[in-house]
Amino acid sequence: GSEMCIRDRSNDEALGQVIDQFGGSVVDSNEEELIVSVHAHPTELDLCETALRKFGIIELQRTGRIALGHLGG
C-alpha cells in the first residue's frame, strides 16, 4: 500500500477523481492538506503517484504496515 500527504486542495473534484480511479480513500484531512491511502499493485501505485504529483505530494510512505501520522488541526 501507499499513503500520500497532498498539499494542493484547490481542485478537490479533480483530486477525488484520481483517488477514485485508483481505489484510494482519504484517511485524514484538514483545511490545507489531506492524506490519501491507496492499496494496489506496485505498478498501479506508480501510476497513482504520477497522477497525484500535480496536487503536490509533500510526504509519501510506501510500505505494507507503516502509515503516516494524523494531521494536526
Side-chain angles (χ1 to χ4, degrees):
S2 180
E3 288 195 345
M4 293 166 252
C5 185
I6 309 291
R7 170 136 327 178
D8 182 0
R9 297 203 50 197
S10 62
N11 191 347
D12 277 353
E13 184 176 337
L15 180 57
Q17 289 174 354
V18 174
I19 294 167
D20 289 344
Q21 176 184 351
F22 290 96
S25 61
V26 175
V27 295
D28 196 11
S29 67
N30 63 26
E31 293 178 7
E32 299 173 357
E33 303 166 340
L34 55 85
I35 295 178
V36 176
S37 180
V38 180
H39 300 280
H41 186 274
T43 303
E44 286 292 309
L45 292 175
D46 290 341
L47 294 171
C48 181
E49 181 182 337
T50 299
L52 290 173
R53 284 229 175 262
K54 65 184 172 186
F55 298 102
I57 297 173
I58 57 174
E59 189 172 351
L60 172 67
Q61 182 72 48
R62 285 184 71 164
T63 63
R65 296 183 184 241
I66 304 296
L68 294 176
H70 289 280
L71 297 170

